[in-house]
């Protein structure tokens, strides 16, 4: 009969065996609270399809174009890497408090800000339209903070970049097909991103209600590879531990001691159930036949109990997430381009000493009045609010893009006026400019004021609504009666 000391030693060894078995099973199957690092949610895999598809095509075209476009594409690639990492964390975590959410979004925010800052620093770039197309639409990555309709937000950002992608197509369609492919690839990226969000995050970013802490999971989640694609598939599970290893002595005794220990162990097992009183029990939550989640991998997605905050609420506490980047006011001539930027409530801005080959670019000015003296090639107002432009003459055109409540007055001659994605535009013509061509798209509240002989003006609204019918051979479009 075994002594008390021998029984104690046997119990200790059995506990070691149970502990090793426990770690082996749970290591292979995962646990109920922590997902294995290799398990990717279906939504993340769907995002990887975008990265491997149209986004990879965009990167390839950018490398061929080279220069500023290639460097800009590297920054966009980092933004998508950061978004992928965030989506993995969301698929494995409960919805965090807003302070933690801001921290988790910081990398994506910094990527967006870097992309926009690069564009601001390279306004003289010959590929400026390419840089602007990405900068205007890259805030689409901020969909993760939009609820309850993140899909339309991505569409809005895609439209914001369309003005510049159209310019790229116009400038390069007959010169280099790679630029055309570049535009199509980027537009497809945002189109697919919108479809992805509509399918997997219809009313806002979906967190895992049964997941762990988001901040902790963010530290555990491995970053993506340098190529930006999904990580390699997980390897096979570890092989079963040999029986000899389970009964190995912790002290490293020789084979003779192992055989003696096994003989004592099996002899003691015949003594009855008392010898197993000290063993650890396998509880119900450790049993795979009672917990299918141990075998099936990640828990299914459920909508968070608290809806994600609109983008404005997060942006307020995370300035990097804001689409606009605050800059000091600027007025200077760079090469052939006059740069008038970030002017607020300045009513006496005058540009003199102009030349016919120069371009005037007015960006994000508010409550200001700019007068351009002399004859220049063209004038562009981009993202301006409550801003007025008074000009003598232009060779080609005056353009309004993404503006609100703007006014224009021509004193000598303007051949073409372009209005795109602008709400509220008042155009004061003179007698020499009555033959002007006005092209408008996605704009509203546009009015043209034509001078009369007595010096007064007659106001004419530009139609905003049209009626299209099929006439048997094609489409016929007329101005709607209520336009």
């Amino acid at each position: 009969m075994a002594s008390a000391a021998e029984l104690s030693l046997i119990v200790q060894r059995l506990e070691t065996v149970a502990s090793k078995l426990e770690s082996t099973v749970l290591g292979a199957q995962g646990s109920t609270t922590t997902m294995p690092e290799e398990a990717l949610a279906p939504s993340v895999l769907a995002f990887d399809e975008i990265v491997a598809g149209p986004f990879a095509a965009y990167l390839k075209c950018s490398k061929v174009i080279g220069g500023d476009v290639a460097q800009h594409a590297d920054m966009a690639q980092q933004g998508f890497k950061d978004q992928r990492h965030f989506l993995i964390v969301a698929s494995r975590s409960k919805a965090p408090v807003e302070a933690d959410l801001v921290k988790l979004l910081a990398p994506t925010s910094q990527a967006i800000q870097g992309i926009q800052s690069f564009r601001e620093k390279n306004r003289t770039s010959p590929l400026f339209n390419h840089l602007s197309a990405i900068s205007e639409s890259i805030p689409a990555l901020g969909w993760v903070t939009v609820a309850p309709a993140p899909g339309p937000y991505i569409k809005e950002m895609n439209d914001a970049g369309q003005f510049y992608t159209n310019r790229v197509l116009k400038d390069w369609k007959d010169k280099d097909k790679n630029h055309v492919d570049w535009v199509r690839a980027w537009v497809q990226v945002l189109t697919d991103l919108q479809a992805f969000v509509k399918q997997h995050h219809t009313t806002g970013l979906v967190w895992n209600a049964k997941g762990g802490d988001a901040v902790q999971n963010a530290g555990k989640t491995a970053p993506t590879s340098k190529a930006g694609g999904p990580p390699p598939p997980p390897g096979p599970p570890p092989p079963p531990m040999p029986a000899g290893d389970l009964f190995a002595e912790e002290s490293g005794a020789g084979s003779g001691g192992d055989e003696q220990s096994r003989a004592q162990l099996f002899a003691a097992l015949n003594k009855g159930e008392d010898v197993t009183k000290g063993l650890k029990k396998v509880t119900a939550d450790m049993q795979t036949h009672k917990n299918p989640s141990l075998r099936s991998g990640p828990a299914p997605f459920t909508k968070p109990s608290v809806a994600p905050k609109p983008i404005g609420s997060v942006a307020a506490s995370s300035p990097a997430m804001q689409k606009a980047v605050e800059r000091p006011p600027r007025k200077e001539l760079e090469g052939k381009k006059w740069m008038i930027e970030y002017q607020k409530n300045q009513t006496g801005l005058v540009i003199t000493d102009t030349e016919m080959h120069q371009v005037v670019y007015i960006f994000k000015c508010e409550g200001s009045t700019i007068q351009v003296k002399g004859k220049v090639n063209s004038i562009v107002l981009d993202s301006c609010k409550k801003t007025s432009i008074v000009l003598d003459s232009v060779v080609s055109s005056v353009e309004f893009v993404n503006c609100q409540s703007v006014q224009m007055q021509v004193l000598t001659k303007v051949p073409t006026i372009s209005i795109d994605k602008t709400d509220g535009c008042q155009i004061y013509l003179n007698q020499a400019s009555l033959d002007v061509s006005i092209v408008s798209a996605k704009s509203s509240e546009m009015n043209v004021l034509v001078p009369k002989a007595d010096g007064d003006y007659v106001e004419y609204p530009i139609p905003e609504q049209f009626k299209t019918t099929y006439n048997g051979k094609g489409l016929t479009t007329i101005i709607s009666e209520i336009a």
Side-chain angles (χ1 to χ4, degrees):
M1 183 174 181
S3 65
E6 290 174 337
L7 288 176
S8 178
L9 178 61
I10 291 171
V11 170
Q12 184 178 0
R13 288 172 179 166
L14 285 173
E15 287 183 346
T16 303
V17 171
S19 178
K20 289 183 178 180
L21 282 171
E22 198 175 296
S23 61
T24 301
V25 173
L26 293 181
Q29 299 291 342
S31 69
T32 57
T33 57
T34 304
M35 295 184 189
E37 199 64 37
E38 295 83 0
L40 291 178
S43 61
V44 178
L45 295 176
F47 186 82
D48 286 343
E49 292 180 3
I50 299 175
V51 174
F55 190 77
Y58 154 75
L59 291 177
K60 181 180 179 181
C61 293
S62 298
K63 297 302 180 185
V64 175
I65 296 173
D68 293 335
V69 170
Q71 188 174 349
H72 217 212
D74 290 339
M75 302 171 74
Q77 183 180 23
Q78 184 59 51
F80 272 74
K81 286 182 180 179
D82 294 334
Q83 176 125 114
R84 181 181 187 274
H85 179 266
F86 180 79
L87 291 176
I88 294 175
V89 172
S91 70
R92 299 174 174 177
S93 311
K94 298 177 182 178
V97 297
E98 184 168 334
D100 289 339
L101 178 60
V102 172
K103 294 178 182 178
L104 295 171
L105 287 172
T108 306
S109 302
Q110 293 166 5
I112 294 174
Q113 185 179 21
I115 291 169
Q116 294 181 329
S117 297
F118 184 86
R119 176 240 196 174
E120 300 302 324
K121 295 175 182 177
N122 293 276
R123 288 186 168 274
T124 58
S125 172
L127 301 172
F128 178 72
N129 286 331
H130 295 69
L131 305 184
S132 297
I134 304 301
S135 297
E136 289 295 321
S137 54
I138 195 63
L141 294 181
W143 70 266
V144 293
T145 62
V146 178
Y153 170 77
I154 297 176
K155 177 65 165 58
E156 181 182 342
M157 294 300 101
N158 198 357
D159 291 343
Q162 186 177 358
F163 173 79
Y164 293 102
T165 54
N166 287 343
R167 282 190 165 188
V168 174
L169 293 175
K170 179 182 177 182
D171 294 341
W172 293 94
K173 66 180 180 180
D174 297 326
K175 298 179 182 178
D176 189 342
K177 182 177 180 296
N178 189 65
H179 293 260
V180 177
D181 294 338
W182 181 89
V183 169
R184 291 174 178 171
W186 178 249
V187 172
Q188 192 63 46
V189 168
L190 298 181
T191 302
D192 288 1
L193 183 63
Q194 182 185 1
F196 157 79
V197 170
K198 183 177 180 181
Q199 180 180 355
H200 296 278
H201 304 274
T202 309
T203 59
L205 178 67
V206 177
W207 295 86
N208 187 349
K210 296 182 180 180
D213 180 81
V215 176
Q216 293 181 0
N217 285 339
K220 295 177 183 178
T221 304
T224 56
S225 63
K226 186 176 182 180
M241 185 176 293
D245 293 337
L246 290 175
F247 295 97
E249 288 282 12
E250 296 294 331
S251 60
S255 59
D258 290 342
E259 293 175 0
Q260 183 179 3
S261 298
R262 289 192 186 97
Q264 293 176 349
L265 173 61
F266 289 116
L269 290 176
N270 294 324
K271 300 296 182 181
E273 297 180 356
D274 290 343
V275 73
T276 62
K277 287 183 177 179
L279 292 178
K280 292 182 179 179
K281 302 297 183 182
V282 179
T283 58
D285 61 327
M286 299 179 184
Q287 299 173 8
T288 57
H289 68 283
K290 292 185 177 180
N291 291 273
S293 60
L294 293 177
R295 305 188 303 270
S296 60
F301 291 124
T302 56
K303 293 183 179 180
S305 56
V306 180
K309 299 287 185 179
I311 190 169
S313 61
V314 176
S317 55
S318 178
M321 203 62 184
Q322 296 182 12
K323 184 172 182 291
V325 179
E326 291 296 332
R327 299 280 181 176
R330 181 184 179 203
K331 176 192 171 189
E332 59 183 329
L333 178 63
E334 286 187 356
K336 299 179 181 180
K337 181 181 290 188
W338 282 96
M339 308 299 298
I340 312 297
E341 302 177 310
Y342 305 104
Q343 301 286 347
K344 291 190 176 182
N345 303 319
Q346 300 295 321
T347 58
L349 294 172
V350 181
I351 301 177
T352 57
D353 301 326
T354 57
E355 298 180 8
M356 191 178 300
H357 64 273
Q358 292 176 345
V359 173
V360 179
Y361 186 79
I362 304 170
F363 181 68
K364 288 196 174 180
C365 294
E366 184 173 350
S368 301
T369 301
I370 300 101
Q371 183 175 2
V372 181
K373 294 187 175 182
K375 191 172 188 178
V376 296
N377 184 274
S378 63
I379 300 174
V380 178
L381 277 75
D382 185 357
S383 304
C384 295
K385 296 181 180 180
K386 299 180 180 179
T387 298
S388 301
I389 177 73
V390 180
L391 61 124
D392 286 351
S393 182
V394 294
V395 177
S396 59
S397 65
V398 176
E399 300 180 26
F400 299 91
V401 186
N402 295 321
C403 293
Q404 297 179 12
S405 302
V406 290
Q407 294 185 358
M408 183 207 103
Q409 182 176 6
V410 57
L411 302 179
T412 304
K413 181 67 175 178
V414 56
T416 305
I417 299 173
S418 175
I419 309 172
D420 188 67
K421 293 191 286 290
T422 294
D423 297 324
C425 185
Q426 297 281 105
I427 299 173
Y428 291 84
L429 299 177
N430 64 340
Q431 290 293 338
S433 298
L434 296 182
D435 59 346
V436 64
S437 297
I438 302 175
V439 180
S440 61
K442 298 180 181 180
S443 301
S444 63
E445 301 177 32
M446 301 168 289
N447 296 286
V448 179
L449 292 96
V450 178
K452 297 193 300 185
D454 58 1
D456 200 359
Y457 285 88
V458 179
E459 185 174 358
Y460 297 95
I462 296 178
E464 303 173 22
Q465 188 171 350
F466 303 89
K467 179 181 179 181
T468 300
T469 56
Y470 180 67
N471 58 18
K473 297 182 179 180
L475 299 179
T476 301
T477 302
I478 61 174
I479 298 175
S480 173
E481 296 178 358
I482 60 175

